[in-house]
Amino acid sequence: MSESANTLQPVFDRAFTGIAQARDAFAPQLAPREIGVIASISTGIAHVSGLPGAGFEELLAFPGDVFGIAFNVDEDEIGVVLLGDYWHLHAGDQVERTGRVMDVVVGDGLLGRVIDPLGRPLDNAGSVRADKRRPIEQPAAHIMDRAPVTVPLQTGLKAIDALIPIGRGQRELILGDRQTGKTTIAIDTILNQRGQEVVCVYCAIGQRASAVAKAVATLREKGAMDYTVVVVTEGNDPPGLAYIAPYAATSIAEYFMEAGRDVLIVYDDLTQHARAYRELSLLLRRPPGREAFPGDIFYIHSRLLERATHMRKDLGGGSLTALPIIETEAQNISAYIPTNLISITDGQIYLSPSLFELGVLPAVDVGKSVSRVGGKAQRAAYRAVAGDLKLAYAQFEELETFARFGARLDDATRKIIEHGRRIRACLKQPESDPVSVPEQLTILLALTANLFDLVPLDRMTAAERAVRDAATGIPAKVSARFDTADTLSEDDRKVILDIARHALETFLPSPQPGLGSQSKPVPKKKP
């Protein structure tokens, strides 16, 4: 026994010495935790007491991995906007401070993914890889950090690129009644950014799941998801998620902008965002104002859209272009939310239900649409033709209304109307079919030179397609000058018009003077 005890004694000594050293090295640290309780809970809202140190817009943790944002910070209790399913929460449950504001994951790993505003994946493609997290509320760039809008953002839509141009760093509002093609314009613009080095963020706010699924399917089919992030809240999500969705999407877009990249963000649509904020405000007992919207509804949209800008070269030179969408009721663009957003943005694209019903797609009302800064960024080749085209189209619309009353028209008036009908036919464009810059310029130049005026209206679609196909034959040195030249030279214009004339020869009813010596009549089909 004595031998074994002597053998084990050093082992025990070492063990007890190690325990003593660990005990002496341990310094207990007390981490204060501030825990409150739910006083009451209602639709998307919780009133919490017992958190005197909580700050405005601080993130609070509820049981079941549900978070909320402190919205009303009163002396006795806090009104909290809940950001998840709250059916399991009850009065008396504990609430804990997190000490941080709401943030979202950002990084290149988000490209091609569909996520919710909390950064959780919705596309069954595994967890989201993120470089870092970024607060959803960020101050807008200072005025001195911004640069002028000088580079065009091509939408691929002839009516917009020619008559209502958009520049990178601009905020252009898209508004119109229900089912007039607002989302289609935004999706087509995203599709046209393929190969343009533009990152796109599509933010669906309170949309039907089927509508979002269709948009995502279109983006996948056309290969646009490679450079697109989709942030989604559905119609049955809590109003708190709909409220934070555009801010989270903008933070994701700003990450790419600060890396020196050009970004396009689409908010579809801010009507749902305003309604979600109104619902939260009324539940929190904030005083209602015009149309029951709270007085700060202008501020929540202005601080969102002010984040869209073009940065100076020494700050990376990135840009963030915003296309907010808003829904009007009965064509009332003077309602509260539309007028707010018209005053915040740099122009608007108005979609007319009457044009939509006539089959003029996209149903852009050129008279009520405007771009306040995009003209500075528009390519010189467009500027050479856009002014005459817009004037001719405006004259046509006014005369067309007058002609409906059965008035007798002189030859000059009839000519203006026939020319306007060709302009309208050429500006029509099917969904998901963006038109390249050379194709657009060939069509627009042919229009201003009256080359389409002799083509029968029922053959305009085929004639326009023929001109588009012929535009691929424009010499490379000419098409290269579309981006670089200050003006379109007469030689370049002649080359393009000759290509268009040749393409339209087969659509003319008979040889016409001025269309070249190769013009031939259309052979009559045998019965």
Side-chain angles (χ1 to χ4, degrees):
M1 285 294 289
S2 60
E3 269 187 41
S4 61
N6 290 336
T7 306
L8 291 174
Q9 188 63 41
V11 177
F12 286 127
D13 289 342
R14 283 197 301 273
F16 286 127
T17 302
I19 291 171
Q21 289 174 347
R23 181 194 63 197
D24 294 338
F26 176 72
Q29 294 181 348
L30 298 177
R33 294 170 61 200
E34 199 170 317
I35 296 178
V37 294
I38 299 176
S40 64
I41 193 163
S42 58
T43 308
I45 294 292
H47 291 276
V48 175
S49 61
L51 294 176
F56 178 62
E57 291 194 344
E58 182 177 343
L59 202 62
L60 305 178
F62 290 79
D65 288 333
V66 176
F67 291 95
I69 298 176
F71 232 51
N72 277 11
V73 183
D74 299 325
E75 187 176 355
D76 299 324
E77 67 176 19
I78 299 171
V80 181
V81 173
L82 299 173
L83 303 177
D85 290 330
Y86 48 85
W87 56 268
H88 62 282
L89 299 179
H90 305 282
D93 287 349
Q94 288 190 345
V95 185
E96 185 176 349
R97 288 184 59 192
T98 62
R100 61 187 177 93
V101 296
M102 178 67 202
D103 55 18
V104 67
V105 292
V106 296
D108 289 335
L110 292 178
L111 293 174
R113 301 303 303 271
V114 182
I115 62 172
D116 70 1
L118 300 177
R120 298 176 300 200
L122 300 175
D123 52 4
N124 299 320
S127 59
V128 175
R129 292 184 294 105
D131 297 341
K132 59 180 181 179
R133 302 187 72 89
R134 184 184 178 93
I136 65 168
E137 291 275 12
Q138 290 275 107
H142 298 296
I143 295 296
M144 299 305 294
D145 293 340
R146 305 183 182 214
V149 175
T150 55
V151 181
L153 182 99
Q154 294 293 133
T155 65
L157 300 167
K158 292 166 288 186
I160 295 175
D161 289 341
L163 307 179
I164 318 149
I166 301 173
R168 296 188 184 183
Q170 186 176 342
R171 297 155 297 187
E172 185 79 5
L173 179 65
I174 303 173
L175 77 163
D177 284 8
R178 284 173 56 88
Q179 302 296 318
T180 50
K182 301 184 295 297
T183 300
T184 301
I185 284 181
I187 295 296
D188 284 355
T189 303
I190 293 175
L191 296 180
N192 197 55
Q193 304 316 307
R194 185 173 182 82
Q196 305 292 323
E197 300 298 325
V198 176
V199 176
C200 300
V201 179
Y202 177 68
C203 179
I205 308 168
Q207 299 292 312
R208 298 190 315 275
S210 59
V212 177
K214 179 187 174 186
V216 173
T218 302
L219 295 174
R220 285 197 196 285
E221 180 187 347
K222 302 292 184 179
M225 284 300 289
D226 297 340
Y227 53 86
T228 303
V229 183
V230 180
V231 181
V232 177
T233 58
E234 297 175 9
N236 58 350
D237 284 337
L241 278 181
Y243 168 68
I244 69 167
Y247 299 102
T250 306
S251 287
I252 293 170
E254 281 180 330
Y255 167 82
F256 295 106
M257 179 185 73
E258 291 180 0
R261 303 175 74 173
D262 292 314
V263 189
L264 167 68
I265 185 165
V266 174
Y267 305 108
D268 189 12
D269 64 47
L270 291 185
T271 308
Q272 300 294 340
H273 184 243
R275 287 172 183 164
Y277 187 68
R278 175 172 62 184
E279 180 181 350
L280 295 173
S281 298
L282 293 175
L283 287 167
L284 287 168
R285 307 281 183 183
R286 292 183 175 180
R290 180 177 165 189
E291 297 178 24
F293 287 104
D296 61 341
I297 191 76
F298 181 91
Y299 173 61
I300 72 164
H301 286 153
S302 63
R303 77 172 188 256
L304 171 70
L305 293 169
E306 273 298 317
R307 294 162 72 177
T309 187
H310 179 210
M311 303 298 288
R312 290 198 331 242
K313 284 287 184 187
D314 55 330
L315 295 174
S319 70
L320 176 54
T321 309
L323 292 182
I325 296 174
I326 199 79
E327 181 185 300
T328 56
E329 295 180 358
Q331 306 180 49
N332 182 17
I333 62 175
S334 62
Y336 187 31
I337 302 303
T339 50
N340 275 357
L341 284 158
I342 285 172
S343 64
I344 294 168
T345 51
D346 305 314
Q348 71 273 353
I349 298 169
Y350 176 68
L351 302 182
S352 166
S354 55
L355 288 175
F356 187 87
E357 290 160 7
L358 289 172
V360 180
L361 301 176
V364 177
D365 188 327
V366 176
K368 293 181 181 176
S369 302
V370 65
S371 179
R372 298 187 184 96
V373 298
K376 297 289 184 183
Q378 192 177 32
R379 285 178 168 87
Y382 279 98
R383 286 200 294 272
V385 297
D388 295 340
L389 198 66
K390 194 164 189 177
L391 178 62
Y393 194 53
Q395 288 177 333
F396 154 68
E397 288 186 321
E398 193 169 331
L399 288 172
E400 186 186 39
T401 305
F402 176 71
R404 284 180 188 147
F405 296 105
R408 288 187 177 181
L409 304 175
D410 58 84
D411 290 341
T413 303
R414 258 197 304 272
K415 190 175 180 182
I416 291 173
I417 290 177
E418 288 301 317
H419 181 56
R421 285 174 177 159
R422 269 70 180 177
I423 295 175
R424 176 181 283 172
C426 281
L427 293 182
K428 287 182 183 179
Q429 195 166 330
E431 185 177 350
S432 303
D433 184 24
V435 183
S436 68
V437 171
E439 291 174 359
Q440 287 193 36
L441 286 172
T442 306
I443 292 169
L444 296 174
L445 277 172
L447 273 173
T448 55
N450 299 330
L451 298 187
F452 283 104
D453 286 7
L454 296 171
V455 177
L457 270 176
D458 58 351
R459 303 195 70 193
M460 277 297 298
T461 302
E464 187 230 359
R465 173 56 68 176
V467 172
R468 283 182 58 182
D469 293 341
T472 57
I474 294 176
K477 61 181 181 180
V478 175
S479 57
R481 285 196 287 272
F482 292 160
D483 295 326
T484 57
D486 293 334
T487 57
L488 197 63
S489 69
E490 285 301 321
D491 290 340
D492 291 345
R493 188 187 291 257
K494 185 177 182 300
V495 168
I496 296 169
L497 287 176
D498 286 344
I499 290 172
R501 282 194 185 96
H502 185 71
L504 290 174
E505 283 177 358
T506 56
F507 295 93
L508 300 177
S510 59
Q512 299 295 328
L515 286 182
S517 58
Q518 298 180 355
S519 298
K520 296 178 182 178
V522 178
K524 293 183 179 179
K525 293 183 180 179
K526 294 181 180 180

